[in-house]
Amino acid sequence: MIKADGLHKIINYKKVTNDYCPSFSGIVAGECKGDLWVNDIENPNIAIANSYAVGGYAFLGDIKSEEEYKGVEMFINEELFTMVKSKGINYFEFSIESDNLRKYIMKMFGDREMQKEKEFSFRKKDEMPELLSLSDEYTIHKVDDKLWNLINEGNIENGTLVTERLLESWGIFDDFFEKSLAFCITYYNKIIAVIVGTARFNDVIAIDIETEEAHRNKGLGLTLTGKFVNECVRRGMTAQWDCVESNPASRKLAEKAGFKFIKQNEVYWFNI
């Protein structure tokens, strides 16, 4: 497997992308930040992507021969797991974003004591109704140059709630600003809620949303979602919401906002 980077960019990536997983397909297409390995730079049919925003890996494409299977298995056991453990991580979390790959990957990890949970994906293509009003102590902001400068100058508290998500997904603010969008809510002068587009593929934007626990159940998440979705629609983009079964509150919010279910997948993990 070859590491794709600034010097080694994939040319023909259609075989190793999936329209339903912008978080990983966006990395393959070079739209957003993440680690990527492929079996061939010019014309790959196997890819392993690592999304910092998702916090895990994905397998994409298809294995065409026993030789390819052995090559992927060797890379994972001798290089990838070593790299993961060197970062102080003792587990491997992944999804399989290609039905053609599933039997090979499950065979590869067949002797592992794996855990898994369901992951649900939703999309919304149309605008949301009028947004909920916020009490006076809350203010909603679009993340733009002005807000970014205020955060970097220390004029807004808890700025890392925004900056860490943007930088781990896009690398630099300019790339984020060109390809994505984000909103946040301040409580007086402190950021307490955020929604960020963490990946993009074929004009589908993956969402990451968080509200500090002390400010939950006040409609802030729904307000942010409305702002985000309506801006996406105006810019000709579709918002995608992914959540796992262990986070029912996230699914409830997506459904309340009118997102439509599009697929179910599984997330796996095991100790290494």
Side-chain angles (χ1 to χ4, degrees):
M1 300 292 285
I2 305 164
K3 180 76 180 288
D5 52 29
L7 297 176
H8 303 91
K9 292 185 177 181
I10 298 176
I11 299 173
N12 301 308
Y13 53 74
K14 288 187 177 180
K15 294 179 182 177
V16 286
T17 54
N18 182 322
D19 288 339
Y20 291 108
C21 62
S23 292
F24 297 106
S25 294
I27 294 171
V28 175
E31 291 287 342
C32 48
K33 186 178 176 183
D35 296 320
L36 177 66
W37 296 266
V38 292
N39 65 316
D40 185 285
I41 287 292
E42 292 190 359
N43 190 31
N45 58 280
I46 308 167
I48 304 173
N50 174 30
S51 167
Y52 309 140
V54 173
Y57 293 76
F59 294 92
L60 303 103
D62 189 14
I63 291 176
K64 300 292 188 181
S65 67
E66 184 66 18
E67 183 180 0
E68 285 184 346
Y69 175 84
K70 292 296 184 182
V72 172
E73 184 178 40
M74 183 178 298
F75 166 75
I76 290 171
N77 289 321
E78 297 184 4
E79 296 185 47
L80 186 59
F81 286 170
T82 300
M83 184 198 70
V84 171
K85 288 190 286 188
S86 72
K87 296 179 180 180
I89 302 171
N90 61 2
Y91 64 92
F92 183 65
E93 182 176 320
F94 68 97
S95 61
I96 306 168
E97 303 294 341
S98 163
D99 290 337
N100 294 330
L101 265 181
R102 190 169 302 276
K103 63 180 180 180
Y104 294 104
I105 302 305
M106 298 311 290
K107 174 185 174 184
M108 193 177 297
F109 300 143
D111 61 342
R112 301 281 182 170
E113 191 174 330
M114 277 197 291
Q115 299 183 66
K116 66 178 181 178
E117 69 174 329
K118 296 175 183 176
E119 180 183 51
F120 309 101
S121 296
F122 303 82
R123 284 185 183 173
K124 188 162 177 61
K125 299 181 179 181
D126 55 327
E127 290 194 26
M128 288 177 60
E130 196 69 26
L131 303 177
L132 299 174
S133 59
L134 300 177
S135 54
D136 291 342
E137 64 266 30
Y138 294 112
T139 305
I140 191 164
H141 308 264
K142 184 175 183 178
V143 178
D144 53 15
D145 287 321
K146 181 180 178 181
L147 184 72
W148 189 254
N149 289 333
L150 288 172
I151 292 173
N152 287 330
E153 291 165 2
N155 294 319
I156 293 182
E157 295 179 46
N158 203 28
T160 55
L161 198 64
V162 171
T163 58
E164 287 183 354
R165 283 172 166 79
L166 264 61
L167 296 178
E168 72 180 3
S169 299
W170 301 99
I172 58 175
F173 178 79
D174 287 347
D175 282 354
F176 154 78
F177 190 71
E178 178 185 348
K179 299 175 181 179
S180 188
L181 64 152
F183 293 88
C184 66
I185 292 176
T186 53
Y187 177 72
Y188 295 107
N189 199 45
K190 179 185 178 184
I191 296 174
I192 50 82
V194 62
I195 186 168
V196 177
T198 55
R200 178 172 179 168
F201 181 68
N202 287 346
D203 291 328
V204 177
I205 300 288
I207 290 175
D208 182 19
I209 184 169
E210 181 180 353
T211 300
E212 289 195 341
E213 188 170 357
H215 299 272
R216 292 174 185 170
N217 301 313
K218 297 181 179 181
L220 304 186
L222 188 61
T223 299
L224 282 174
T225 303
K227 278 284 191 181
F228 190 95
V229 166
N230 292 347
E231 180 71 13
C232 279
V233 173
R234 286 190 285 270
R235 292 170 58 172
M237 300 185 296
T238 298
Q240 177 160 326
W241 190 295
D242 301 307
C243 57
V244 291
E245 61 181 322
S246 59
N247 189 359
S250 180
R251 179 172 184 171
K252 183 178 179 180
L253 179 54
E255 292 173 340
K256 187 175 182 179
F259 279 71
K260 304 301 181 185
F261 175 79
I262 59 167
K263 73 154 187 168
Q264 177 181 310
N265 200 5
E266 289 181 311
V267 177
Y268 304 88
W269 66 94
F270 54 80
N271 292 332
I272 54 176

